[in-house]
């Protein structure tokens, strides 16, 4: 037998998965219609030049995902009603979306709270939450700085700051951004917020109402999905690839959804770790501007680049009047500070100000003053240099361990910054089953369906590489790989 040229034995994806996608494509193209009988296994093996076991594994995956049905003694048939997978494309184009098989809502639970609780469980080696672990925190510097700021501020430390934020903090953030080549332009302003999540809620409540549609990446940050649901809005997914949001799919979603807002993490995307190219940013900006859609960009991981060249944030591109930029020190300095900032044009800030004032009234000046002092004295820059080196070392350790201990065909993203990477397993694999098994063995991670508006991605997992030192990571990934092989 001669292997069909559409199958590649040297690819990272195994032959049975390639064949599975090929068979599914023929069903989608109408070569085999719903209810029709598939050729026998030996005939399929002969047609594609593969072993009959490869065909059987491919058929098993299609059966699991609802594309075919097997009748004992009669063979395999195309399902009378095909799975709903609007616009589904080959996984090589959108490798991060994983399997179209959907998880049920009851399987996911309340993950934001549970993730934080598990991250603090000393008996669990967890790769779930993304934050700076204690060994990388500038704890002693912050302690000394807090004592000095308390002394300098006196009673001013215990009163309200202005609703927009403590002025020295806003000015220090502006100076930091300018030193990084990202100044705040004339006609734009800045407000203090208690972390990027607060900024997301502020933007949603200021520019949308219950029932409105909000475009999100697929996969996307789990916190925005939870927020959209809690506030009664509807999430509309747009697939991402290795360069970020796909412009054609975005254009299609904008035309049919009448969405009011788009949310994106352009640099070191949560959960995949990928970064939108400059060309993609310009195209996304133009599309949202043309459709009158507010563009909210979360730059919480923007300071954590450890390789490659920096890219301009959306707010610095031409025609960015509709952009709301969110920054945070929760990922780059200390999660417990809950300090961030929001930058937008003055007219947008005026619309958000009344909502923010009733949400938070004002933020305490003490921590704003501490962060301002840390920025102005150069402490933050020195801390970032150390943090970036450590994150790169920890990413490398995790990627190497995954290559060594996970099965062939596993796809792994290799981000150039941030804290997360994305793992795509063979289509029939269940990350939810693995998660339950892993917890019983003292291991934790975030299953893929958490990051999709429709619950897909059941064969995907997000791993946070920042939390543990390289040795702990290698040992834990080896244990997790053992559970994967056993499954």
């Amino acid at each position: 037998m001669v292997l069909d040229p559409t199958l590649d034995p040297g690819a990272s994806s195994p032959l049975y998965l390639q064949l599975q996608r090929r068979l599914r494509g023929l069903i989608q193209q109408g070569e085999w219609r719903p209810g029709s009988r598939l050729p026998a296994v030996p005939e399929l093996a002969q047609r594609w030049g593969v072993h009959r076991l490869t065909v059987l594994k491919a058929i098993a995956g299609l059966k699991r995902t609802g594309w075919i049905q097997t009748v004992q003694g009669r063979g395999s048939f195309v399902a009378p009603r095909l799975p709903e997978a609007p616009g589904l494309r080959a996984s090589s184009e959108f490798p991060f979306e994983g399997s179209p098989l959907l998880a049920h809502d009851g399987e996911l639970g309340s993950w934001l709270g549970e993730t934080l609780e598990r991250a603090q469980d000393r008996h669990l080696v967890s790769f779930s939450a993304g934050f700076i672990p204690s060994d990388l925190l500038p704890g002693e510097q912050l302690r000394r700085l807090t004592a000095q700021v308390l002394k300098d501020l006196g009673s001013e430390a215990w009163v309200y700051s202005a609703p927009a934020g403590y002025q020295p903090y806003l000015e220090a953030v502006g100076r930091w951004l300018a030193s990084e080549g990202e100044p705040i332009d004339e006609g734009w302003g800045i407000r203090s917020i208690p972390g990027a999540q607060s900024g997301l809620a502020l933007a949603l409540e200021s520019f949308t109402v219950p029932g409105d549609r909000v475009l999100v990446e697929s996969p996307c940050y789990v916190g925005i999905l939870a927020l959209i649901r809690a506030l009664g809005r509807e999430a509309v997914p747009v697939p991402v690839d290795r360069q970020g949001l796909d412009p054609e799919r975005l254009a299609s979603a904008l035309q049919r959804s009448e969405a009011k807002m788009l949310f994106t993490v352009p640099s070191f995307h949560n959960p995949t770790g990928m970064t939108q190219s400059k060309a993609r940013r310009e195209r996304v900006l133009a599309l949202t501007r043309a459709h009158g859609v507010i563009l909210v960009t979360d730059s919480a991981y923007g300071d954590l680049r450890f390789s490659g060249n920096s890219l301009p944030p959306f707010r610095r591109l031409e025609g960015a009047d509709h952009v709301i930029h969110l920054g945070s020190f929760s990922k780059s300095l200390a999660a417990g500070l809950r300090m961030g900032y929001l930058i937008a044009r003055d007219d947008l800030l005026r619309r958000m100000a009344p909502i923010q004032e009733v949400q938070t009234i004002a933020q305490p000046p003490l921590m704003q003053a501490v962060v301002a002092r840390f920025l102005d004295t150069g402490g933050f820059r020195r801390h970032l240099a150390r943090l970036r080196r450590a994150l790169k070392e920890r990413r490398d350790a995790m990627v190497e361990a995954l290559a060594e201990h996970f099965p062939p065909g596993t796809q792994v993203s290799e981000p150039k910054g941030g804290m997360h990477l994305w793992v795509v397993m063979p289509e029939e694999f269940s990350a939810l089953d693995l998660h339950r098994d892993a917890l019983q063995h003292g291991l934790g991670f975030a299953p893929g369906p958490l990051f999709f508006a429709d619950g897909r991605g059941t064969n995907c997992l997000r791993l946070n590489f920042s939390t543990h030192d390289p040795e702990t990571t290698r040992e834990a990934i080896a244990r997790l790989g053992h559970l994967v092989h056993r499954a």
Side-chain angles (χ1 to χ4, degrees), residues 362-373:
Q363 287 196 86
L366 177 59
M367 285 299 101
Q368 294 181 79
V370 169
V371 174
R373 190 78 59 88

Side-chain angles (χ1 to χ4, degrees), residues 230-269:
L231 295 180
R233 280 65 166 171
E234 179 185 350
V236 178
V238 180
V240 302
D241 61 20
R242 296 187 183 278
Q243 296 185 62
L245 277 169
D246 178 75
E248 301 307 317
R249 300 291 285 273
L250 175 60
S252 175
L254 285 166
Q255 289 171 0
R256 70 174 187 270
S257 68
E258 298 183 352
K260 299 295 180 63
M261 181 175 286
L262 168 63
F263 168 78
T264 181
V265 182
S267 295
F268 318 123
H269 173 249

Side-chain angles (χ1 to χ4, degrees), residues 390-453:
L391 289 176
K392 184 178 186 301
E393 183 182 10
R394 294 180 181 205
R395 181 210 61 179
D396 292 346
M398 180 172 282
V399 170
E400 291 166 5
L402 288 167
E404 181 178 356
H405 298 289
F406 271 49
T410 301
Q411 297 182 69
V412 180
S413 64
E414 293 191 34
K416 296 179 179 179
M419 295 181 169
H420 307 110
L421 55 78
W422 188 246
V423 180
V424 182
M425 304 293 291
E427 284 197 4
E428 71 277 7
F429 187 83
S430 171
L432 292 169
D433 290 345
L434 176 64
H435 185 259
R436 286 187 284 267
D437 194 14
L439 288 177
Q440 295 178 4
H441 290 81
L443 300 169
F445 63 88
L450 293 173
F451 305 95
F452 293 92

Side-chain angles (χ1 to χ4, degrees), residues 265-347:
V265 182
S267 295
F268 318 123
H269 173 249
N270 183 2
T272 69
M274 296 292 96
T275 294
Q276 285 184 34
S277 65
K278 186 172 185 291
R280 286 289 176 93
R281 296 180 191 218
E282 292 171 341
R283 181 68 175 136
V284 168
L285 188 71
L287 284 168
T288 51
R289 183 175 65 246
H291 286 266
V293 170
I294 294 290
L295 176 56
V296 181
T297 65
D298 182 353
S299 187
Y301 301 95
D303 289 322
L304 302 182
R305 175 179 294 279
F306 46 70
S307 64
N309 298 320
S310 62
L311 292 169
F314 273 93
R315 67 177 177 85
R316 297 285 298 159
L317 300 175
E318 185 176 352
D321 293 358
H322 60 299
V323 170
I324 297 172
H325 176 100
L326 305 177
S328 175
F329 295 103
S330 295
K331 307 299 183 183
S332 58
L333 183 51
L337 287 173
R338 302 305 302 142
M339 289 297 306
Y341 53 91
L342 182 152
I343 300 173
R345 283 192 60 85
D346 291 336
D347 58 326

Side-chain angles (χ1 to χ4, degrees), residues 22-42:
R22 189 76 182 88
L23 296 176
R24 186 174 62 206
L26 292 176
I27 294 173
Q28 290 177 299
Q29 294 162 19
E31 179 167 329
W32 297 320
R33 297 187 176 278
S36 65
R37 183 176 178 177
L38 267 65
V41 169

